[in-house]
Amino acid sequence: MLTLVLGGAASGKSEYAEALVMKLSGTPRIYLATMQANDAESRARVERHIALREGKGFLTVECPLALEHVAVPSGSVVLLECMSNLLANECFSPDGAGKLACERILRGMDRLCQLADNAVVVSNLVFSDGMIYDASTMAYIARLARVNAALAQKADRLVEVVCSIPILHKGKGESTACV
Amino acid sequence: MHLVIGGAKQGKLQWVLQEMSGVASQVAYTCDEAKNMPIWNALHEEIRRLMLLGQAPGKAVEQVLFQNPEITILCDEIGCGIVPVDAFEREWREQTGRICCMLAQRAERVDRVFCGIAACIKPEAPV
């Protein structure tokens, strides 16, 4: 089963996704880490996430690129965080897929969903600041929207997290919202 | 405490004033005003102002909650854009997001205003 968790910056989406993974079946519990921590701020961000996961029994697997080749044991429960980083790496890294970033990621997701018993993917909402950026950033925004929408189609559950509150847009599950 | 969130200019204040039969003179815009007024508008702007003054916004919000636990707080959602290049802008979004998570967890009720229409995303516990 695939769950897509979306939220803006500092919305509580990671905390929600990690708590969800703890309730899902599958062994081992895999954390696919996508961030390439090249500076102090990124490292601090990674440290915060490591602290959040501590004691939860996650096996961390680095996956900054090439989701389609990452070793995922069959029957596992997988948390991929965050799709926006993986896509940025595929778009902008010298070793990335560039223009074929979406295709490569979606192929990787197909394989991940076949192997894992349960998969939870965290992705970002970056679509509502009304800003016009340079062409490569605009292309990135369009690609993230495309990946999010493709995953939402495929997903059994689509959850938006707003100020730590989960809002269920598709599927069944806990939701405190009465929208 | 009641938290009301939504994008910029979505009609949060108008909805709150209507719901509470409130008037503009009852609306606070700073931490100090918020300590004894029923409504606190534009929390995100006060967080930014305090950060620019080098003060800790989280602590200031805690003090308001301590003195005025029944307050209704309105805040813009500002985290749904491309991560800004400027470090201060990033930190503002981060602090605003985390403070809103804390408020939402502690609020008796949370509403989200979208195009002027409010949706309750955390209903009050049944009495």
Side-chain angles (χ1 to χ4, degrees), chain A:
Chain A
M1 189 163 89
L2 174 64
T3 304
L4 179 61
V5 178
L6 297 175
S11 58
K13 57 190 183 302
S14 304
E15 288 86 340
Y16 172 80
E18 280 163 28
L20 176 65
V21 165
M22 298 306 287
K23 291 185 232 161
L24 297 174
S25 64
T27 359
R29 194 174 288 143
I30 304 278
Y31 182 86
L32 291 182
T34 61
M35 184 175 253
Q36 292 172 316
N38 299 324
D39 56 60
E41 189 176 326
S42 307
R43 278 192 293 273
R45 200 161 271 275
V46 168
E47 290 299 325
R48 179 181 168 271
H49 281 257
I50 290 173
L52 278 175
R53 291 199 302 280
E54 203 166 86
K56 291 180 179 163
F58 277 99
L59 195 66
T60 301
V61 176
E62 297 295 331
C63 179
L65 286 166
L67 176 62
E68 58 191 332
H69 298 309
V70 76
V72 174
S74 76
S76 54
V77 52
V78 177
L79 172 56
L80 187 155
E81 188 171 33
C82 170
M83 187 50 81
S84 59
N85 279 324
L86 180 62
L87 179 67
N89 296 340
E90 290 287 5
C91 289
F92 303 120
S93 283
D95 302 329
K99 285 183 175 157
L100 296 172
C102 291
E103 287 74 10
R104 190 184 206 187
I105 284 173
L106 293 175
R107 268 201 314 275
M109 280 303 305
D110 283 343
R111 177 172 161 273
L112 179 66
C113 290
Q114 281 166 14
L115 290 170
D117 191 18
N118 277 294
V120 176
V121 174
V122 177
S123 189
N124 235 297
L125 294 174
V126 301
F127 313 105
S128 309
D129 59 6
M131 300 279 288
I132 309 291
Y133 297 96
D134 61 280
S136 69
T137 306
M138 295 310 280
Y140 169 79
I141 294 172
R143 285 189 185 128
L144 186 60
R146 189 178 148 206
V147 169
N148 283 356
L151 293 181
Q153 273 296 320
K154 191 179 168 71
D156 303 280
R157 228 178 350 209
L158 171 62
V159 183
E160 177 190 10
V161 180
V162 183
C163 305
S164 78
I165 297 172
I167 298 175
L168 193 68
H169 288 275
K170 177 183 174 182
K172 290 194 183 108
E174 286 172 41
S175 177
T176 48
C178 50
V179 282

Side-chain angles (χ1 to χ4, degrees), chain B residues 45-116:
Chain B
E45 287 178 11
E46 178 68 350
I47 291 172
R48 189 180 177 94
R49 190 183 71 89
L50 292 173
M51 286 175 65
L52 286 168
L53 290 172
Q55 296 176 18
K59 223 186 244 177
V61 172
E62 288 286 351
Q63 283 167 2
V64 171
L65 293 180
F66 180 73
Q67 292 192 24
N68 193 359
E70 300 300 316
I71 194 167
T72 295
I73 301 177
L74 289 67
C75 188
D76 278 14
E77 288 178 60
I78 60 168
C80 291
I82 286 288
V83 177
V85 177
D86 184 82
F88 176 82
E89 294 294 335
R90 285 199 296 278
E91 186 56 24
W92 179 43
R93 284 155 180 76
E94 185 72 23
Q95 294 227 19
T96 302
R98 298 288 167 221
I99 288 171
C100 280
C101 286
M102 177 276 285
L103 290 172
Q105 286 301 312
R106 284 163 59 172
E108 276 93 50
R109 175 183 173 137
V110 182
D111 286 274
R112 187 189 210 187
V113 178
F114 179 76
C115 299

